[in-house]
């Protein structure tokens, strides 16, 4: 029986099919599978789910059916709590006062004081010539009309926005450039932001073509991200899949089949009888031998240059990711980021932004996932790639239109130039 989400209550039990998105928070009470949590936590690889595993609304069930008991629904779900975080952060951001408004507050009283002072001075200098003093006082009011200020701000913003658009950055908010000029701290998300968010086989051509062909045939029978990447990598090398029959996916473990009358497997290390390596890998059990196909999450073009530019400008750079420690550490070391945290939940990211703001720092947040929306909204200014989820793009002030990260560093520099002008 299919039930509307609005009708689901606490302690209900539901079945989530392979390929379906978790509609509610829950606890797995039957079944085994792998779930993709990248939408909520930023974890680059799926995690195993079995009896007793906690799952959240928004996660994707990949390989096997799961029976889930619902302890919380509606306003008590993780997605609803995340929406509450975003709403609170949006309320705080609206308190920002633009440069023109701040200048106007001081401008008006200063002009009137100057005009009154001129009136008083010329009344004294002319021995009480009221008409002459009033004329000069009026002239001061007219000549200090805020036309220059009123024209300068939109002219500079229009020019700077056009320059940034040609570099691949779309300004969404009127005060984004002004806030960008005040930035002294940059916080990056990892998966999908500093990296492409897609696993990439490492040195696939170094493996025997026969091994790659068998692995590609097994990978074709799975929707797992590593399997898809392996199949695409073999295709790019021009290696056709081997003739593997009787394909069967084992939820949470991998894929097995028959090749030349022998049982072959592709999946987790323990299931294939292999010793796990430190890096992200998929394992092939073939003719009594095991092979490890390693993967990496490729950094975005220009990521290293952008980080280096921020560091050389004296800014503090941090990496906050929901991914596990090993890939986060590897990327941080590769890009030269010394401040990093792994396993950070959405609320934790928003809390870290609030902590930095409380220290008086002006934070630029760069992220792409649903798990980044609260942090993007609460940051002083925020940027998301065009490939980001709709929610992240809506929450951000600037959208990065291309794949390269280098324009982000240029945006901060142009923002500072615009503020000076």
């Amino acid at each position: 029986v299919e039930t509307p989400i609005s009708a689901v209550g606490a302690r209900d039990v539901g079945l989530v099919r392979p390929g379906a998105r978790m509609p509610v928070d829950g606890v797995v009470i039957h079944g085994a599978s792998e779930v993709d949590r990248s939408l909520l936590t930023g974890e680059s690889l799926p995690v195993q789910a079995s009896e007793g595993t906690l799952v959240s609304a928004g996660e994707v069930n990949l390989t096997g059916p799961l029976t889930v008991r619902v302890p919380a629904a509606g306003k008590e779900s993780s997605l609803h709590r995340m929406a509450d975080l975003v709403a609170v952060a949006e309320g705080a951001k609206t308190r920002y006062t633009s440069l023109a408004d701040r200048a106007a507050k001081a401008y008006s009283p200063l002009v009137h004081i100057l005009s009154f002072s001129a009136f008083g001075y010329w009344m004294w200098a002319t021995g009480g010539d009221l008409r002459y003093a009033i004329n000069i006082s009026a002239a001061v009011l007219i000549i200090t009309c805020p036309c220059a200020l009123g024209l300068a701000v939109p002219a500079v913003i229009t020019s700077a926005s056009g320059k940034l658009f040609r570099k691949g950055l779309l300004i969404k908010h009127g005060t984004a450039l002004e806030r960008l000029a005040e930035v002294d701290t940059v916080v990056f998300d990892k998966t999908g932001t500093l990296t492409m968010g897609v696993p990439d086989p490492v040195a696939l051509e170094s493996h025997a073509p026969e091994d790659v062909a068998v692995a590609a045939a097994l990978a074709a029978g799975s929707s797992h991200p590593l399997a898809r990447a392996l199949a695409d990598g073999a295709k790019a090398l021009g290696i056709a899949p081997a003739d593997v029959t009787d394909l069967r996916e084992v939820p949470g473990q991998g894929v097995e089949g028959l090749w030349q009358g022998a049982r072959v497997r592709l999946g987790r290390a323990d299931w294939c009888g292999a010793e796990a390596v430190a890096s992200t890998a998929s394992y092939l059990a073939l003719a009594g031998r095991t092979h490890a196909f390693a993967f990496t999450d490729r950094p975005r073009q220009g990521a290293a240059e952008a980080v280096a530019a921020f560091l050389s400008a004296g800014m503090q750079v941090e990496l906050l990711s929901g991914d596990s420690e090993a890939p986060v550490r590897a990327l941080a070391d590769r890009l030269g980021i010394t401040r990093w945290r792994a396993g950070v939940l959405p609320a934790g990211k928003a809390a870290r932004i609030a902590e930095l703001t409380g220290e008086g720092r002006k934070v630029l947040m760069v992220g792409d996932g649903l798990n980044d929306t609260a942090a993007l909204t609460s940051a002083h200014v925020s940027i998301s790639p065009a490939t980001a989820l709709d929610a992240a793009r809506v929450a951000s002030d600037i959208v990065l239109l291309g794949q390269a990260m280098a324009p982000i560093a240029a945006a901060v520099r142009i923002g500072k130039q615009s503020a000076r002008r």
Side-chain angles (χ1 to χ4, degrees), residues 344-384:
V344 185
L345 296 176
K349 290 187 178 185
R352 179 56 181 161
I353 299 296
E355 181 183 342
L356 290 168
T357 303
E359 295 171 2
R361 293 189 169 274
K362 306 295 185 183
V363 181
L364 164 62
M365 174 69 193
V366 188
D368 77 310
L370 189 62
N371 58 319
D372 299 315
T373 51
L376 288 167
T377 310
S378 58
H380 192 60
V381 62
S382 54
I383 299 176
S384 64

Side-chain angles (χ1 to χ4, degrees), residues 253 266-277 281-285 290 292:
Q253 300 294 342
L266 178 72
R268 298 176 62 85
D270 52 358
W271 189 59
C272 294
E275 185 175 341
V277 297
S282 187
Y283 301 84
L284 174 69
T290 58

Side-chain angles (χ1 to χ4, degrees), residues 94-149:
T94 57
R95 293 197 289 268
Y96 180 81
T97 306
S98 71
L99 177 63
D101 289 341
R102 294 198 302 272
K105 284 183 178 179
Y107 203 90
S108 182
L110 283 174
V111 166
H112 286 86
I113 290 171
L114 183 61
S115 176
F116 182 76
S117 299
F119 173 81
Y121 171 79
W122 286 104
M123 280 291 287
W124 168 80
T126 59
D129 189 339
L130 181 64
R131 179 179 177 181
Y132 191 81
I134 287 176
N135 282 343
I136 288 184
S137 178
V140 170
L141 283 175
I142 292 168
I143 207 66
T144 53
C145 167
C147 288
L149 177 67

Side-chain angles (χ1 to χ4, degrees), residues 217-229:
L218 289 168
S222 173
S223 60
H224 193 284
L226 294 185
R228 292 200 301 268

Side-chain angles (χ1 to χ4, degrees), residues 146-207:
C147 288
L149 177 67
L151 291 172
V153 172
V156 170
I157 288 177
T158 301
S159 174
S161 297
K163 185 182 291 186
L164 287 175
F165 184 76
R166 289 190 293 274
K167 289 181 177 292
L169 287 161
L170 178 64
I171 307 294
K172 289 176 49 196
H173 198 284
T175 63
L177 271 174
E178 297 175 21
R179 287 180 276 133
L180 203 57
E182 300 170 351
V183 165
D184 55 20
T185 303
V186 185
V187 175
F188 286 103
D189 170 51
K190 182 182 92 61
T191 308
T193 302
L194 282 177
T195 69
M196 297 301 295
V198 178
D200 191 32
V202 177
L204 193 59
E205 65 279 0
S206 65
H207 294 272

Side-chain angles (χ1 to χ4, degrees), residues 207-216 284 286 289 291 293:
H207 294 272
E210 182 181 78
D211 296 340
V212 176
V214 173
L284 174 69
L286 172 69
R289 298 175 287 116
H291 308 270
F293 295 95

